Amino acid sequence: MEKRASYHIFYYAFLWYDYEVGTIPMKNKEKKKQCVWQDLKGFTSNTKWKRVREVDNSPAYFDEMCYFYEYTHQILFDKHENTHVLHFERVELEENNSQVRYVIEAEGKAYNLKVDKICLDLYELGVGILSFYVENDMEDFDAKDVCAINFYGRCVYLPFRNAREVFCIPSKLSIIGLGDEYSHEYKSLKDSFETSFSSWELPKHIYKLLCSDLFCSYSNAVIAPALDNRMFVNCWYYDNDLAGELSSLDLKKDKNDSVFIWKAFYGIDKLDSSEGEIDNEEVCAHTYTLWQNGGTLYGYTRYSFVVLTNTQFIKKHIQTLYSRILKLVLLQKSSILHFSKDIGVISLNQDNEEFLIKIVQRMYNQYITFLNHIYFDDITPQTQGMEFYNILQRELEVVKGVTKLNQSIGEVYNSLSAAMYASKRDRQSRALNWIAVLFLPPSLVTGFCGMSQLWYKEFTFDLFMVECLWSVVITLMLACLFWIITRSSDKSKKPRLFS
Protein backbone atom coordinates (compact mmCIF):
# COMPACT_ATOMS: atom_id res chain seq x y z
CA MET A 1 0.00 0.00 0.00
CA GLU A 2 1.34 3.43 -0.99
CA LYS A 3 2.22 5.73 1.88
CA ARG A 4 -0.36 8.37 2.83
CA ALA A 5 0.50 12.06 3.16
CA SER A 6 -1.25 15.19 4.40
CA TYR A 7 -0.61 18.91 4.59
CA HIS A 8 -2.50 21.28 6.86
CA ILE A 9 -2.80 25.08 6.89
CA PHE A 10 -4.57 26.84 9.77
CA TYR A 11 -5.70 30.47 9.37
CA TYR A 12 -6.45 32.65 12.38
CA ALA A 13 -8.29 35.80 11.24
CA PHE A 14 -8.45 38.70 13.68
CA LEU A 15 -9.07 42.44 13.93
CA TRP A 16 -6.23 44.65 15.12
CA TYR A 17 -6.52 48.06 16.74
CA ASP A 18 -4.07 50.43 18.35
CA TYR A 19 -6.61 51.60 20.87
CA GLU A 20 -9.16 50.19 23.24
CA VAL A 21 -12.66 51.56 22.77
CA GLY A 22 -13.59 53.79 25.67
CA THR A 23 -10.10 54.20 27.17
CA ILE A 24 -8.55 56.65 24.68
CA PRO A 25 -10.21 59.94 23.67
CA MET A 26 -12.16 59.63 20.47
CA LYS A 27 -10.23 62.42 18.72
CA ASN A 28 -6.94 60.52 19.01
CA LYS A 29 -8.08 57.18 17.61
CA GLU A 30 -7.59 57.85 13.91
CA LYS A 31 -4.25 59.57 14.50
CA LYS A 32 -2.90 56.67 16.56
CA LYS A 33 -4.04 53.98 14.15
CA GLN A 34 -2.48 55.75 11.19
CA CYS A 35 0.76 56.09 13.14
CA VAL A 36 0.91 52.37 13.92
CA TRP A 37 0.30 51.43 10.28
CA GLN A 38 3.05 53.78 9.09
CA ASP A 39 5.44 52.34 11.67
CA LEU A 40 4.65 48.80 10.54
CA LYS A 41 5.29 49.78 6.92
CA GLY A 42 8.78 50.82 7.93
CA PHE A 43 9.40 47.57 9.80
CA THR A 44 12.01 45.25 8.28
CA SER A 45 12.84 42.61 10.88
CA ASN A 46 13.52 41.83 14.51
CA THR A 47 14.70 38.66 16.22
CA LYS A 48 11.32 36.98 15.63
CA TRP A 49 9.63 38.38 12.52
CA LYS A 50 10.84 39.70 9.18
CA ARG A 51 8.91 41.48 6.44
CA VAL A 52 9.06 39.61 3.12
CA ARG A 53 8.44 41.50 -0.12
CA GLU A 54 6.67 39.37 -2.72
CA VAL A 55 8.15 40.97 -5.83
CA ASP A 56 7.36 40.32 -9.50
CA ASN A 57 10.78 39.03 -10.53
CA SER A 58 10.94 36.40 -7.80
CA PRO A 59 10.58 32.81 -9.13
CA ALA A 60 8.77 31.85 -5.93
CA TYR A 61 5.82 34.16 -6.74
CA PHE A 62 5.87 34.27 -10.54
CA ASP A 63 3.24 31.55 -11.07
CA GLU A 64 0.92 33.03 -8.47
CA MET A 65 1.10 36.52 -9.95
CA CYS A 66 0.34 35.13 -13.40
CA TYR A 67 -2.61 33.21 -12.00
CA PHE A 68 -4.39 36.30 -10.61
CA TYR A 69 -5.42 39.48 -12.40
CA GLU A 70 -2.93 42.29 -11.93
CA TYR A 71 -5.43 44.60 -10.22
CA THR A 72 -5.70 42.08 -7.36
CA HIS A 73 -1.96 42.08 -6.64
CA GLN A 74 -2.11 45.15 -4.41
CA ILE A 75 -4.09 43.21 -1.81
CA LEU A 76 -2.75 39.68 -2.45
CA PHE A 77 0.98 40.53 -2.47
CA ASP A 78 3.24 42.81 -0.47
CA LYS A 79 5.16 44.09 -3.48
CA HIS A 80 5.38 47.93 -3.44
CA GLU A 81 5.43 50.91 -1.09
CA ASN A 82 1.75 51.85 -1.41
CA THR A 83 0.59 48.37 -0.54
CA HIS A 84 -2.53 47.55 1.46
CA VAL A 85 -0.98 44.41 3.01
CA LEU A 86 2.19 43.73 4.98
CA HIS A 87 3.56 40.16 4.83
CA PHE A 88 5.70 38.84 7.69
CA GLU A 89 7.37 35.46 8.21
CA ARG A 90 9.14 33.88 11.17
CA VAL A 91 12.91 34.30 11.17
CA GLU A 92 13.49 30.80 12.57
CA LEU A 93 11.90 29.19 9.51
CA GLU A 94 14.17 30.70 6.85
CA GLU A 95 15.83 27.33 6.26
CA ASN A 96 13.82 24.35 4.99
CA ASN A 97 15.55 21.96 7.39
CA SER A 98 14.12 23.77 10.41
CA GLN A 99 13.22 21.63 13.39
CA VAL A 100 10.20 23.68 14.38
CA ARG A 101 7.29 21.39 15.28
CA TYR A 102 3.55 21.88 15.76
CA VAL A 103 2.49 19.48 18.53
CA ILE A 104 -1.15 18.59 19.21
CA GLU A 105 -1.91 16.60 22.35
CA ALA A 106 -5.44 15.23 22.50
CA GLU A 107 -7.19 12.09 23.74
CA GLY A 108 -3.96 10.66 25.08
CA LYS A 109 -2.15 10.93 21.74
CA ALA A 110 0.42 13.43 20.44
CA TYR A 111 0.59 14.55 16.81
CA ASN A 112 4.09 15.90 16.15
CA LEU A 113 4.04 17.80 12.84
CA LYS A 114 6.68 19.70 10.90
CA VAL A 115 6.15 23.46 10.53
CA ASP A 116 7.01 24.77 7.05
CA LYS A 117 6.04 28.39 7.57
CA ILE A 118 4.38 30.71 10.03
CA CYS A 119 3.11 33.79 8.19
CA LEU A 120 1.37 36.95 9.28
CA ASP A 121 -0.54 39.21 6.89
CA LEU A 122 -1.62 42.60 8.25
CA TYR A 123 -4.05 44.68 6.21
CA GLU A 124 -4.41 48.44 6.35
CA LEU A 125 -8.13 48.16 6.94
CA GLY A 126 -7.50 46.66 10.40
CA VAL A 127 -7.60 42.92 9.67
CA GLY A 128 -4.86 40.34 10.22
CA ILE A 129 -4.42 36.68 9.27
CA LEU A 130 -1.94 34.43 11.08
CA SER A 131 -1.20 31.25 9.08
CA PHE A 132 0.41 27.98 10.17
CA TYR A 133 1.74 25.81 7.30
CA VAL A 134 2.13 22.32 8.75
CA GLU A 135 3.27 19.09 7.09
CA ASN A 136 2.34 15.70 8.48
CA ASP A 137 5.59 13.73 8.38
CA MET A 138 4.55 11.00 10.82
CA GLU A 139 5.45 7.49 9.74
CA ASP A 140 2.13 5.77 10.36
CA PHE A 141 -1.26 7.47 10.29
CA ASP A 142 -4.71 7.04 8.72
CA ALA A 143 -7.79 9.08 7.90
CA LYS A 144 -8.82 9.16 11.56
CA ASP A 145 -5.54 10.86 12.47
CA VAL A 146 -5.90 13.41 9.66
CA CYS A 147 -9.39 14.30 10.87
CA ALA A 148 -8.10 14.59 14.46
CA ILE A 149 -5.28 16.94 13.37
CA ASN A 150 -7.76 19.24 11.64
CA PHE A 151 -10.27 18.99 14.47
CA TYR A 152 -7.93 19.75 17.38
CA GLY A 153 -5.20 21.70 15.59
CA ARG A 154 -7.47 24.62 14.74
CA CYS A 155 -8.53 25.34 18.32
CA VAL A 156 -8.09 28.94 19.51
CA TYR A 157 -10.73 30.00 22.03
CA LEU A 158 -12.74 27.77 24.32
CA PRO A 159 -15.91 26.71 22.47
CA PHE A 160 -19.41 26.18 23.82
CA ARG A 161 -19.54 24.15 27.04
CA ASN A 162 -22.29 22.13 28.62
CA ALA A 163 -22.82 21.79 32.36
CA ARG A 164 -20.24 19.03 32.87
CA GLU A 165 -17.35 19.27 30.42
CA VAL A 166 -15.66 21.18 27.63
CA PHE A 167 -15.92 19.76 24.11
CA CYS A 168 -13.77 20.11 21.01
CA ILE A 169 -10.48 21.13 22.61
CA PRO A 170 -7.08 19.43 22.82
CA SER A 171 -5.18 18.94 26.03
CA LYS A 172 -2.32 21.11 24.81
CA LEU A 173 -1.08 22.92 21.71
CA SER A 174 2.63 23.72 21.38
CA ILE A 175 5.08 25.16 18.87
CA ILE A 176 8.52 23.74 19.60
CA GLY A 177 11.78 25.06 18.17
CA LEU A 178 11.19 28.83 18.25
CA GLY A 179 13.54 29.36 21.16
CA ASP A 180 10.98 30.45 23.76
CA GLU A 181 8.03 28.42 24.95
CA TYR A 182 4.97 28.72 22.75
CA SER A 183 2.35 26.45 24.27
CA HIS A 184 -1.11 26.58 25.78
CA GLU A 185 -2.81 24.05 28.01
CA TYR A 186 -6.57 24.10 27.59
CA LYS A 187 -8.15 23.77 31.00
CA SER A 188 -11.25 21.83 31.97
CA LEU A 189 -14.45 23.56 32.95
CA LYS A 190 -13.68 23.06 36.63
CA ASP A 191 -10.22 24.60 36.34
CA SER A 192 -11.53 27.53 34.34
CA PHE A 193 -13.91 28.50 37.13
CA GLU A 194 -11.09 28.39 39.65
CA THR A 195 -8.90 30.74 37.56
CA SER A 196 -9.52 34.14 36.03
CA PHE A 197 -11.07 32.72 32.87
CA SER A 198 -12.62 35.11 30.36
CA SER A 199 -14.30 34.49 27.03
CA TRP A 200 -12.43 35.18 23.79
CA GLU A 201 -9.10 35.10 25.59
CA LEU A 202 -6.16 34.45 23.27
CA PRO A 203 -4.22 31.24 23.98
CA LYS A 204 -0.66 31.79 25.15
CA HIS A 205 1.11 30.57 22.00
CA ILE A 206 -0.85 32.88 19.67
CA TYR A 207 -0.67 35.79 22.11
CA LYS A 208 3.09 35.44 22.25
CA LEU A 209 3.46 35.19 18.47
CA LEU A 210 1.45 38.38 17.89
CA CYS A 211 1.56 40.61 20.94
CA SER A 212 4.90 39.74 22.54
CA ASP A 213 6.93 39.26 19.33
CA LEU A 214 5.50 41.98 17.06
CA PHE A 215 3.04 44.36 18.72
CA CYS A 216 5.13 44.70 21.88
CA SER A 217 6.32 48.15 20.74
CA TYR A 218 2.74 49.46 20.69
CA SER A 219 1.23 49.67 24.16
CA ASN A 220 -2.24 50.40 22.79
CA ALA A 221 -2.34 47.52 20.32
CA VAL A 222 -5.45 45.42 20.77
CA ILE A 223 -6.32 42.16 19.01
CA ALA A 224 -9.98 41.15 18.75
CA PRO A 225 -11.54 38.00 17.28
CA ALA A 226 -12.96 38.30 13.77
CA LEU A 227 -14.74 35.09 12.81
CA ASP A 228 -15.01 31.76 14.59
CA ASN A 229 -13.61 30.60 17.92
CA ARG A 230 -11.41 28.24 15.87
CA MET A 231 -9.14 28.62 12.88
CA PHE A 232 -10.07 28.06 9.25
CA VAL A 233 -8.64 24.79 7.86
CA ASN A 234 -7.05 24.23 4.45
CA CYS A 235 -5.97 20.60 4.03
CA TRP A 236 -4.50 18.34 1.34
CA TYR A 237 -4.82 14.59 1.99
CA TYR A 238 -3.15 12.06 -0.28
CA ASP A 239 -4.69 8.62 0.07
CA ASN A 240 -4.67 6.54 -3.12
CA ASP A 241 -6.94 3.80 -1.76
CA LEU A 242 -9.61 6.03 -0.28
CA ALA A 243 -9.59 8.34 -3.32
CA GLY A 244 -9.97 5.33 -5.60
CA GLU A 245 -12.97 4.05 -3.64
CA LEU A 246 -14.72 7.43 -3.68
CA SER A 247 -14.09 7.89 -7.40
CA SER A 248 -16.38 4.97 -8.20
CA LEU A 249 -19.21 5.92 -5.83
CA ASP A 250 -22.40 7.87 -6.44
CA LEU A 251 -22.43 10.46 -3.67
CA LYS A 252 -26.13 11.11 -4.26
CA LYS A 253 -27.16 7.70 -2.93
CA ASP A 254 -24.21 5.61 -1.62
CA LYS A 255 -23.77 5.45 2.17
CA ASN A 256 -20.71 3.35 2.96
CA ASP A 257 -17.65 3.91 5.17
CA SER A 258 -15.77 5.84 2.49
CA VAL A 259 -18.55 8.43 2.21
CA PHE A 260 -18.65 8.66 6.01
CA ILE A 261 -14.90 9.35 6.12
CA TRP A 262 -15.26 11.99 3.41
CA LYS A 263 -18.08 13.69 5.34
CA ALA A 264 -16.00 13.82 8.51
CA PHE A 265 -12.97 15.07 6.55
CA TYR A 266 -14.56 18.10 4.88
CA GLY A 267 -16.76 18.79 7.93
CA ILE A 268 -13.69 18.90 10.27
CA ASP A 269 -15.19 16.32 12.62
CA LYS A 270 -13.64 13.52 14.60
CA LEU A 271 -13.90 10.23 12.76
CA ASP A 272 -16.05 8.02 14.95
CA SER A 273 -17.81 5.22 13.06
CA SER A 274 -20.29 4.69 15.88
CA GLU A 275 -21.88 8.13 15.55
CA GLY A 276 -23.52 10.21 12.88
CA GLU A 277 -25.63 9.58 9.80
CA ILE A 278 -24.96 10.31 6.15
CA ASP A 279 -27.12 12.90 4.43
CA ASN A 280 -26.30 12.47 0.74
CA GLU A 281 -27.90 15.78 -0.21
CA GLU A 282 -25.73 17.60 2.32
CA VAL A 283 -22.62 15.72 1.13
CA CYS A 284 -23.23 16.74 -2.48
CA ALA A 285 -23.86 20.36 -1.45
CA HIS A 286 -20.36 20.57 0.05
CA THR A 287 -18.43 18.58 -2.57
CA TYR A 288 -16.84 19.72 -5.82
CA THR A 289 -17.04 16.61 -8.01
CA LEU A 290 -15.61 17.76 -11.35
CA TRP A 291 -12.50 15.57 -10.91
CA GLN A 292 -14.13 12.74 -8.97
CA ASN A 293 -13.59 10.16 -11.69
CA GLY A 294 -9.89 11.00 -11.68
CA GLY A 295 -9.64 10.44 -7.93
CA THR A 296 -9.83 14.03 -6.60
CA LEU A 297 -12.57 15.49 -4.44
CA TYR A 298 -12.75 19.02 -3.05
CA GLY A 299 -14.82 19.76 0.04
CA TYR A 300 -15.78 23.09 1.56
CA THR A 301 -17.71 24.61 4.45
CA ARG A 302 -17.69 28.00 6.15
CA TYR A 303 -14.63 26.90 8.16
CA SER A 304 -12.79 24.50 5.82
CA PHE A 305 -11.46 23.88 2.33
CA VAL A 306 -10.04 20.39 1.82
CA VAL A 307 -8.97 18.08 -0.99
CA LEU A 308 -8.74 14.28 -1.01
CA THR A 309 -6.68 13.10 -3.94
CA ASN A 310 -4.45 10.45 -5.47
CA THR A 311 -2.12 13.02 -7.09
CA GLN A 312 0.78 14.97 -5.59
CA PHE A 313 0.81 18.18 -7.64
CA ILE A 314 -2.35 19.59 -5.99
CA LYS A 315 -0.37 20.01 -2.78
CA LYS A 316 1.48 22.94 -4.35
CA HIS A 317 -1.81 24.60 -5.33
CA ILE A 318 -3.10 24.23 -1.76
CA GLN A 319 0.02 25.96 -0.44
CA THR A 320 -0.05 28.82 -2.92
CA LEU A 321 -2.95 29.57 -5.27
CA TYR A 322 -5.85 28.30 -3.19
CA SER A 323 -4.28 29.70 -0.04
CA ARG A 324 -4.31 33.18 -1.64
CA ILE A 325 -7.98 32.79 -2.52
CA LEU A 326 -8.82 31.66 1.00
CA LYS A 327 -7.01 34.59 2.59
CA LEU A 328 -8.82 37.02 0.31
CA VAL A 329 -12.25 35.63 1.20
CA LEU A 330 -11.38 35.59 4.92
CA LEU A 331 -10.24 39.20 4.58
CA GLN A 332 -13.55 40.13 2.94
CA LYS A 333 -15.58 38.48 5.67
CA SER A 334 -13.48 39.99 8.45
CA SER A 335 -13.68 43.44 6.84
CA ILE A 336 -17.47 43.25 6.88
CA LEU A 337 -17.36 42.61 10.62
CA HIS A 338 -14.84 45.43 11.02
CA PHE A 339 -17.27 47.89 9.41
CA SER A 340 -20.11 46.54 11.54
CA LYS A 341 -18.06 47.32 14.63
CA ASP A 342 -17.47 50.88 13.42
CA ILE A 343 -21.20 51.34 12.86
CA GLY A 344 -21.74 50.18 16.44
CA VAL A 345 -19.24 52.79 17.69
CA ILE A 346 -21.11 55.47 15.75
CA SER A 347 -24.43 54.52 17.31
CA LEU A 348 -22.90 54.93 20.80
CA ASN A 349 -21.50 58.42 20.09
CA GLN A 350 -24.37 60.18 18.38
CA ASP A 351 -24.08 63.40 20.36
CA ASN A 352 -20.44 64.06 19.41
CA GLU A 353 -20.92 65.73 16.03
CA GLU A 354 -17.23 66.44 15.41
CA PHE A 355 -16.27 62.82 16.10
CA LEU A 356 -19.15 61.51 13.99
CA ILE A 357 -18.09 63.55 10.98
CA LYS A 358 -14.52 62.23 11.21
CA ILE A 359 -15.39 58.58 11.86
CA VAL A 360 -18.07 58.44 9.14
CA GLN A 361 -15.76 60.11 6.64
CA ARG A 362 -12.97 57.65 7.49
CA MET A 363 -15.33 54.67 7.35
CA TYR A 364 -16.77 55.80 4.02
CA ASN A 365 -13.28 56.22 2.53
CA GLN A 366 -12.29 52.78 3.83
CA TYR A 367 -15.45 51.29 2.39
CA ILE A 368 -14.59 52.74 -1.03
CA THR A 369 -11.14 51.14 -0.67
CA PHE A 370 -12.81 47.86 0.30
CA LEU A 371 -15.03 47.87 -2.78
CA ASN A 372 -12.19 48.79 -5.16
CA HIS A 373 -9.24 46.86 -3.74
CA ILE A 374 -10.61 43.97 -1.66
CA TYR A 375 -14.06 42.95 -2.86
CA PHE A 376 -13.68 41.75 -6.46
CA ASP A 377 -16.14 40.12 -8.84
CA ASP A 378 -13.32 38.39 -10.73
CA ILE A 379 -9.84 37.58 -9.47
CA THR A 380 -8.46 35.12 -12.04
CA PRO A 381 -9.06 34.07 -15.65
CA GLN A 382 -8.84 30.42 -14.56
CA THR A 383 -12.27 28.79 -14.49
CA GLN A 384 -11.67 26.51 -11.52
CA GLY A 385 -10.11 29.31 -9.50
CA MET A 386 -13.19 31.48 -10.07
CA GLU A 387 -15.48 28.59 -9.15
CA PHE A 388 -13.67 28.07 -5.85
CA TYR A 389 -13.70 31.82 -5.20
CA ASN A 390 -17.47 32.01 -5.72
CA ILE A 391 -18.04 28.86 -3.64
CA LEU A 392 -16.08 30.21 -0.68
CA GLN A 393 -17.82 33.57 -0.90
CA ARG A 394 -21.14 31.76 -0.80
CA GLU A 395 -20.15 29.57 2.16
CA LEU A 396 -19.00 32.58 4.20
CA GLU A 397 -21.98 34.67 3.01
CA VAL A 398 -19.73 37.46 1.78
CA VAL A 399 -22.06 38.77 -0.96
CA LYS A 400 -24.99 38.83 1.45
CA GLY A 401 -22.88 40.65 4.02
CA VAL A 402 -21.70 43.27 1.52
CA THR A 403 -25.27 43.93 0.40
CA LYS A 404 -26.42 44.46 3.97
CA LEU A 405 -23.32 46.51 4.81
CA ASN A 406 -23.87 48.75 1.80
CA GLN A 407 -27.37 49.46 3.02
CA SER A 408 -26.21 50.15 6.60
CA ILE A 409 -23.40 52.51 5.55
CA GLY A 410 -25.77 54.30 3.19
CA GLU A 411 -28.26 54.80 6.02
CA VAL A 412 -25.56 56.12 8.36
CA TYR A 413 -24.23 58.49 5.71
CA ASN A 414 -27.70 59.77 4.81
CA SER A 415 -28.68 60.14 8.47
CA LEU A 416 -25.52 62.08 9.27
CA SER A 417 -26.03 64.29 6.20
CA ALA A 418 -29.60 65.02 7.30
CA ALA A 419 -28.45 65.76 10.86
CA MET A 420 -25.69 68.07 9.60
CA TYR A 421 -28.19 69.87 7.30
CA ALA A 422 -30.63 70.27 10.19
CA SER A 423 -27.84 71.60 12.39
CA LYS A 424 -26.74 74.09 9.72
CA ARG A 425 -30.33 75.21 9.18
CA ASP A 426 -30.75 75.61 12.93
CA ARG A 427 -27.64 77.80 13.14
CA GLN A 428 -28.88 80.00 10.32
CA SER A 429 -32.29 80.35 11.96
CA ARG A 430 -30.63 81.22 15.26
CA ALA A 431 -28.52 83.92 13.58
CA LEU A 432 -31.63 85.49 12.04
CA ASN A 433 -33.43 85.35 15.39
CA TRP A 434 -30.53 87.13 17.09
CA ILE A 435 -30.60 89.85 14.43
CA ALA A 436 -34.31 90.30 15.10
CA VAL A 437 -33.74 90.43 18.86
CA LEU A 438 -31.03 93.08 18.55
CA PHE A 439 -32.84 95.38 16.12
CA LEU A 440 -36.48 94.97 17.18
CA PRO A 441 -36.31 96.95 20.49
CA PRO A 442 -34.73 100.09 18.97
CA SER A 443 -37.30 99.94 16.20
CA LEU A 444 -40.14 99.75 18.72
CA VAL A 445 -38.83 102.58 20.87
CA THR A 446 -38.13 104.90 17.99
CA GLY A 447 -41.46 104.06 16.43
CA PHE A 448 -43.31 104.71 19.69
CA CYS A 449 -41.55 107.92 20.60
CA GLY A 450 -41.26 109.20 17.07
CA MET A 451 -38.06 109.59 15.12
CA SER A 452 -39.10 113.03 13.82
CA GLN A 453 -39.05 114.66 17.28
CA LEU A 454 -35.30 115.05 16.91
CA TRP A 455 -36.06 118.13 14.76
CA TYR A 456 -38.52 119.71 17.21
CA LYS A 457 -37.39 122.71 19.26
CA GLU A 458 -38.72 121.22 22.52
CA PHE A 459 -36.54 118.10 22.06
CA THR A 460 -33.97 117.78 24.82
CA PHE A 461 -30.88 115.67 25.22
CA ASP A 462 -32.33 114.06 28.35
CA LEU A 463 -35.29 112.75 26.36
CA PHE A 464 -32.92 111.25 23.79
CA MET A 465 -30.92 109.49 26.51
CA VAL A 466 -34.13 108.07 28.00
CA GLU A 467 -35.08 106.60 24.61
CA CYS A 468 -31.61 105.06 24.17
CA LEU A 469 -31.66 103.66 27.69
CA TRP A 470 -35.02 102.04 27.15
CA SER A 471 -33.79 100.54 23.85
CA VAL A 472 -30.73 99.02 25.55
CA VAL A 473 -32.73 97.66 28.49
CA ILE A 474 -35.42 96.10 26.32
CA THR A 475 -32.76 94.64 24.00
CA LEU A 476 -30.86 93.03 26.89
CA MET A 477 -34.06 91.63 28.42
CA LEU A 478 -35.15 90.07 25.14
CA ALA A 479 -31.64 88.74 24.46
CA CYS A 480 -31.46 87.04 27.85
CA LEU A 481 -34.93 85.56 27.45
CA PHE A 482 -34.11 84.33 23.95
CA TRP A 483 -30.81 82.80 25.18
CA ILE A 484 -32.55 80.94 28.00
CA ILE A 485 -35.20 79.57 25.63
CA THR A 486 -32.72 78.48 22.95
CA ARG A 487 -30.38 76.89 25.50
CA SER A 488 -33.10 74.67 26.95
CA SER A 489 -34.28 73.84 23.44
CA ASP A 490 -30.75 72.76 22.39
CA LYS A 491 -30.49 70.35 25.31
CA SER A 492 -33.80 68.66 24.56
CA LYS A 493 -33.54 68.59 20.74
CA LYS A 494 -30.08 67.32 19.83
CA PRO A 495 -30.00 65.62 16.41
CA ARG A 496 -29.50 61.86 16.54
CA LEU A 497 -28.57 59.44 13.81
CA PHE A 498 -30.77 56.64 15.06
CA SER A 499 -34.18 57.00 16.63
Side-chain angles (χ1 to χ4, degrees):
M1 182 177 65
E2 193 172 357
K3 184 179 179 180
R4 302 182 180 93
S6 67
Y7 196 92
H8 310 256
I9 308 176
F10 302 104
Y11 305 95
Y12 170 61
F14 60 91
L15 305 178
W16 66 271
Y17 302 89
D18 67 314
Y19 55 85
E20 191 170 359
V21 176
T23 61
I24 297 177
M26 297 291 183
K27 297 179 182 179
N28 297 333
K29 288 184 176 181
E30 174 63 19
K31 181 179 178 181
K32 286 180 175 292
K33 186 166 187 177
Q34 188 68 20
C35 178
V36 171
W37 175 252
Q38 293 299 330
D39 288 346
L40 288 172
K41 286 180 70 175
F43 178 90
T44 55
S45 66
N46 58 19
T47 58
K48 303 296 183 181
W49 291 98
K50 65 172 182 177
R51 184 179 173 188
V52 178
R53 295 295 186 91
E54 302 161 306
V55 295
D56 293 335
N57 57 359
S58 173
Y61 305 109
F62 179 81
D63 291 342
E64 296 180 64
M65 292 187 179
C66 292
Y67 188 83
F68 297 100
Y69 287 125
E70 187 174 4
Y71 60 78
T72 67
H73 291 184
Q74 56 193 330
I75 198 66
L76 293 177
F77 305 97
D78 181 4
K79 55 185 289 190
H80 52 74
E81 291 297 329
N82 297 323
T83 183
H84 296 290
V85 57
L86 304 178
H87 181 73
F88 304 93
E89 295 183 7
R90 288 295 294 196
V91 174
E92 301 91 338
L93 293 163
E94 288 182 323
E95 299 181 3
N96 292 330
N97 59 353
S98 171
Q99 298 301 314
V100 180
R101 313 293 295 183
Y102 192 86
V103 182
I104 306 168
E105 299 179 24
E107 297 183 347
K109 187 172 182 178
Y111 300 95
N112 194 318
L113 313 172
K114 177 186 175 183
V115 178
D116 275 350
K117 290 193 301 182
I118 299 178
C119 301
L120 174 62
D121 295 285
L122 293 179
Y123 300 91
E124 186 177 9
L125 195 62
V127 177
I129 299 178
L130 179 65
S131 309
F132 300 91
Y133 292 74
V134 179
E135 184 174 5
N136 183 2
D137 57 354
M138 296 190 302
E139 290 295 330
D140 186 22
F141 66 91
D142 56 15
K144 184 176 181 180
D145 295 319
V146 174
C147 292
I149 291 171
N150 289 335
F151 183 79
Y152 290 113
R154 72 189 192 105
C155 185
V156 180
Y157 306 101
L158 286 180
F160 175 77
R161 305 166 298 178
N162 68 359
R164 302 184 64 86
E165 60 181 327
V166 182
F167 290 113
C168 309
I169 62 173
S171 301
K172 184 178 180 180
L173 284 179
S174 306
I175 304 175
I176 301 174
L178 295 180
D180 298 332
E181 181 181 0
Y182 294 81
S183 63
H184 184 78
E185 294 186 9
Y186 290 86
K187 297 177 175 60
S188 64
L189 180 61
K190 179 180 178 181
D191 292 335
S192 65
F193 278 124
E194 294 175 355
T195 59
S196 57
F197 170 77
S198 60
S199 60
W200 301 103
E201 181 179 359
L202 271 178
K204 295 178 181 178
H205 62 294
I206 293 182
Y207 177 86
K208 197 167 185 178
L209 285 169
L210 297 177
C211 300
S212 300
D213 294 349
L214 183 62
F215 287 104
C216 57
S217 301
Y218 311 101
S219 59
N220 294 321
V222 176
I223 293 176
L227 301 178
D228 201 354
N229 57 6
R230 288 164 287 184
M231 291 185 276
F232 193 97
V233 177
N234 180 14
C235 181
W236 168 84
Y237 179 33
Y238 176 83
D239 189 331
N240 190 51
D241 295 335
L242 180 60
E245 293 176 7
L246 286 170
S247 65
S248 61
L249 296 179
D250 185 357
L251 297 180
K252 295 181 180 179
K253 59 181 181 181
D254 291 335
K255 298 184 178 184
N256 58 17
D257 291 341
S258 297
V259 178
F260 184 83
I261 294 174
W262 170 244
K263 180 177 179 295
F265 179 48
Y266 76 74
I268 315 299
D269 293 325
K270 292 187 295 184
L271 187 56
D272 190 342
S273 59
S274 62
E275 297 181 3
E277 296 180 357
I278 297 176
D279 184 348
N280 292 93
E281 184 176 351
E282 186 265 343
V283 170
C284 293
H286 293 280
T287 304
Y288 184 81
T289 59
L290 180 62
W291 308 107
Q292 180 182 0
N293 293 335
T296 298
L297 284 177
Y298 292 90
Y300 43 83
T301 65
R302 63 181 179 85
Y303 42 78
S304 66
F305 180 81
V306 301
V307 56
L308 171 64
T309 183
N310 56 6
T311 58
Q312 293 281 348
F313 74 90
I314 299 179
K315 175 183 176 181
K316 186 66 175 179
H317 296 339
I318 289 291
Q319 296 170 321
T320 56
L321 305 177
Y322 300 154
S323 183
R324 299 279 181 186
I325 296 175
L326 284 171
K327 287 182 181 180
L328 178 59
V329 177
L330 291 175
L331 169 62
Q332 293 171 353
K333 182 65 175 181
S334 301
S335 299
I336 294 172
L337 299 179
H338 172 81
F339 285 117
S340 299
K341 186 177 180 68
D342 276 354
I343 293 174
V345 172
I346 291 173
S347 65
L348 296 176
N349 296 274
Q350 299 180 43
D351 297 331
N352 191 337
E353 182 177 333
E354 181 181 357
F355 166 70
L356 285 179
I357 294 174
K358 290 182 178 180
I359 195 69
V360 171
Q361 183 179 11
R362 177 182 65 83
M363 183 178 66
Y364 199 77
N365 291 336
Q366 287 186 338
Y367 186 61
I368 297 299
T369 301
F370 169 77
L371 293 178
N372 293 329
H373 302 299
I374 297 177
Y375 182 68
F376 305 108
D377 292 330
D378 300 305
I379 61 172
T380 175
Q382 304 299 322
T383 303
Q384 183 166 296
M386 275 307 304
E387 288 179 346
F388 287 155
Y389 177 65
N390 293 330
I391 287 172
L392 291 169
Q393 279 192 324
R394 184 184 69 237
E395 290 295 325
L396 273 72
E397 298 184 336
V398 171
V399 177
K400 179 180 178 181
V402 169
T403 302
K404 185 176 180 180
L405 180 63
N406 187 49
Q407 180 181 359
S408 300
I409 291 181
E411 290 176 353
V412 169
Y413 187 81
N414 293 334
S415 298
L416 182 62
S417 299
M420 292 174 60
Y421 175 76
S423 178
K424 181 179 179 180
R425 183 180 57 188
D426 185 53
R427 288 194 297 267
Q428 293 175 343
S429 300
R430 189 180 304 170
L432 294 175
N433 291 334
W434 275 107
I435 293 174
V437 167
L438 294 176
F439 286 95
L440 180 60
S443 301
L444 290 175
V445 172
T446 54
F448 178 77
C449 298
M451 195 70 164
S452 60
Q453 64 176 304
L454 292 172
W455 309 105
Y456 293 163
K457 294 181 179 181
E458 55 272 16
F459 176 76
T460 62
F461 181 76
D462 293 339
L463 180 60
F464 175 73
M465 291 300 296
V466 169
E467 292 182 9
C468 292
L469 181 62
W470 272 109
S471 299
V472 172
V473 170
I474 295 174
T475 300
L476 292 176
M477 292 176 61
L478 290 178
C480 292
L481 180 62
F482 182 74
W483 178 76
I484 293 173
I485 294 174
T486 55
R487 184 183 180 187
S488 60
S489 177
D490 289 342
K491 289 184 176 180
S492 60
K493 295 183 179 180
K494 288 184 177 180
R496 301 183 66 84
L497 290 179
F498 306 94
S499 58

